[in-house]
């Protein structure tokens, strides 16, 4: 069995057990089936792929756990670590009083730690509630979620308050024979609508435009506030809203991966278009950099979890119908619901487990 599907009223989620990636997430709402997550075009094409690709790239889909994030340069493993590239087993899967709960365990260990992935679905909640638990082990490791949404005609973004956005010293694709980028590297801005662009001028990080062919990566650092960290993506053609939420005390950065036809080599081949990675994490780029001195640590931002005992963090992905094409300007969670406030002050309430992210609870 390479996949397992769990369901609750109005929602289903399928996990690819070969690599721990979410292969499908479907939410039934207002007579529609909403599918917020991306699946790489080569997975079902039956084509021959380059032989040296990590399995996490071969099976790229949905969301997955990165541990470490990016290069595994402390403990030998593929890009984004064994949780994103190797097999998971089902250790529990059963109905609950209000939905379904499943537990998966990574067959390998990470820095000696056992890793469990816990999925919870609640009836009539358009959200996947996730928790990852590291038990035992030693040392420290960076970690991040890697949800990806794809758009046919771009979209608009909104975020919980951020201190600033920053790019690294070099782009993902610096060689023009292999790809292209739009942002300036390195650069920094406190205004997400005016980020320095390569060659001069600025770009609006809240506007995903299909005409901007590029491969860009940027880190957003959460500001101090008492609510959840969140990203809201209003997809134009899909007429929906993709929501990604975290506890900033656990995952203090949100890394955005703009992948829009910006890589020309296989398997990307300029066809990986309209994809946005919304990667909440506790990480710098690479395992060694995350546990050593780095630019985020110098800003007071944690970039790794210390292992030993039990370490866990939680994350939520959801989707709602949306016809306006505009994301909310604010999201609050309390008393078993989520309230989305529009730019015009209008509000919309949705069922939500407001205790799940442990906002404001002692660590």
């Amino acid at each position: 069995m390479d996949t397992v599907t769990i369901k609750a009223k109005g929602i289903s989620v399928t996990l690819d057990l070969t690599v721990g990636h979410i292969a499908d997430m479907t939410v039934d709402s207002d007579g529609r089936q909403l599918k917020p997550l991306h699946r790489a075009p080569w997975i079902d094409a039956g084509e021959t792929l380059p032989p040296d690709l990590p399995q996490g790239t071969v099976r790229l889909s949905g969301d997955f756990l990165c541990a470490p994030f990016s290069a595994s340069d402390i403990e030998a493993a593929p890009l984004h670590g064994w949780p994103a590239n190797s097999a998971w087993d089902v250790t529990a899967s059963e109905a609950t009083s209000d939905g379904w709960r499943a537990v998966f365990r990574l067959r390998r260990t990470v820095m000696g730690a056992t890793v469990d992935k816990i999925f919870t679905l609640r009836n009539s909640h358009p959200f996947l509630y996730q928790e990852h638990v590291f038990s035992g082990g030693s040392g420290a490791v960076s970690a991040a979620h890697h949800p990806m949404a794809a758009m046919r005609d771009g979209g608009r973004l909104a975020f919980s308050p951020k201190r600033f956005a920053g790019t690294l010293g070099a782009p993902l694709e610096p060689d023009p024979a292999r790809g292209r980028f739009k942002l300036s590297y390195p650069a920094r801005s406190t205004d997400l609508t005016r980020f320095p662009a390569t060659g001069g001028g600025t770009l609006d990080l809240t506007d995903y435009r299909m005409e901007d062919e590029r491969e860009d990566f940027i880190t957003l650092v959460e500001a101090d506030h008492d609510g959840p960290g969140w990203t809201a993506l209003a997809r134009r053609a899909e007429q929906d809203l993709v929501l990604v939420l975290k506890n900033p005390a656990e995952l203090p950065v949100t890394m955005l991966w703009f992948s829009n036809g910006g890589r020309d080599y296989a398997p990307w081949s300029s066809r990986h278009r309209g994809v946005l990675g919304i990667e909440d994490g506790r990480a710098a780029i690479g395992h060694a950099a995350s546990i050593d001195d780095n630019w985020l640590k110098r800003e007071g931002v944690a970039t790794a979890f210390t292992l030993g005992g039990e370490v866990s963090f939680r994350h939520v992905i959801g989707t709602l119908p949306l016809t306006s094409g505009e994301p909310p300007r604010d999201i609050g969670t309390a008393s078993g619901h989520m309230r989305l406030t529009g730019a015009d002050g209008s509000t919309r309430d949705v069922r939500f487990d407001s205790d799940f992210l442990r906002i404001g609870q002692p660590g």
Side-chain angles (χ1 to χ4, degrees):
M1 180 176 63
D2 291 338
T3 64
V4 62
T5 299
I6 64 171
K7 298 180 180 181
K9 184 179 180 181
I11 185 170
S12 67
V13 175
T14 299
L15 186 70
D16 181 345
L17 294 171
T18 64
V19 287
H21 293 214
I22 296 175
D24 181 71
M25 176 177 171
T26 301
V27 172
D28 297 321
S29 184
D30 294 347
R32 298 174 57 197
Q33 284 200 327
L34 309 179
K35 292 180 176 289
L37 298 178
H38 170 61
R39 184 171 172 84
W42 51 83
I43 295 178
D44 304 311
E47 62 192 74
T48 301
L49 299 176
D52 57 346
L53 290 179
Q55 281 302 298
T57 302
V58 172
R59 306 290 300 169
L60 183 69
S61 64
D63 175 39
F64 52 89
L65 173 66
C66 307
F69 184 80
S70 188
S72 298
D73 46 10
I74 297 293
E75 181 178 60
L79 179 72
H80 293 318
W82 290 119
N85 291 275
S86 62
W88 295 71
D89 293 315
V90 182
T91 60
S93 185
E94 59 189 4
T96 64
S97 61
D98 63 346
W100 199 275
R101 181 179 184 271
V103 183
F104 312 92
R105 177 161 290 178
L106 183 67
R107 289 184 190 172
R108 293 179 178 264
T109 59
V110 175
M111 300 294 288
T114 299
V115 184
D116 289 316
K117 181 191 300 284
I118 304 169
F119 283 1
T120 302
L121 302 180
R122 302 194 185 283
N123 292 332
S124 303
H125 288 219
F127 300 100
L128 165 63
Y129 302 94
Q130 287 191 73
E131 181 173 13
H132 284 95
V133 182
F134 291 73
S135 301
S138 61
V141 67
S142 59
H145 277 266
H146 202 293
M148 299 164 288
M151 294 157 274
R152 298 192 304 274
D153 188 30
R156 297 284 300 177
L157 284 150
F159 305 95
S160 55
K162 308 301 180 191
R163 283 171 54 194
F164 65 88
T167 50
L168 300 173
L172 296 176
E173 297 298 340
D175 183 352
R178 290 169 60 83
R180 60 206 64 81
F181 58 96
K182 291 289 186 181
L183 299 179
S184 179
Y185 295 81
R188 176 171 169 153
S189 178
T190 57
D191 183 352
L192 302 188
T193 67
R194 295 179 57 81
F195 195 87
T198 183
T202 62
L203 284 175
D204 184 353
L205 298 178
T206 70
D207 187 11
Y208 195 115
R209 301 187 307 173
M210 297 301 291
E211 59 266 32
D212 289 339
E213 293 191 349
R214 56 168 165 160
E215 203 74 18
D216 275 310
F217 184 87
I218 189 167
T219 299
L220 312 184
V221 175
E222 201 75 17
D224 291 332
H225 60 87
D226 59 5
W230 55 268
T231 300
L233 170 62
R235 301 192 295 179
R236 291 190 186 94
E238 291 77 10
Q239 294 192 338
D240 63 13
L241 183 69
V242 179
L243 297 167
V244 180
L245 298 99
K246 64 176 182 177
N247 183 338
E250 297 174 351
L251 305 174
V253 299
T254 297
M255 298 166 283
L256 300 179
W257 173 38
F258 294 84
S259 185
N260 187 37
R263 282 178 171 152
D264 297 334
Y265 53 92
W268 315 92
S269 306
S270 305
R271 61 180 166 171
H272 198 252
R273 297 181 55 79
V275 177
L276 179 69
I278 304 169
E279 303 163 20
D280 292 324
R282 190 184 189 102
I285 305 304
H287 195 170
S290 295
I291 65 174
D292 201 354
D293 181 49
N294 61 66
W295 70 285
L296 287 168
K297 275 189 180 177
R298 291 191 288 275
E299 296 282 351
V301 179
T303 55
F305 290 98
T306 300
L307 299 174
E310 186 174 288
V311 175
S312 71
F313 52 92
R314 294 181 174 184
H315 192 254
V316 179
I317 302 170
T319 184
L320 302 168
L322 182 74
T323 57
S324 70
E326 290 297 325
R329 64 171 170 83
D330 189 43
I331 293 177
T333 59
S335 305
H337 73 273
M338 171 188 292
R339 174 161 292 179
L340 299 95
T341 303
D344 60 359
S346 62
T347 60
R348 177 181 184 181
D349 288 350
V350 183
R351 290 185 182 180
F352 183 77
D353 183 350
S354 52
D355 294 325
F356 179 77
L357 288 173
R358 305 183 288 207
I359 303 297
Q361 297 180 23

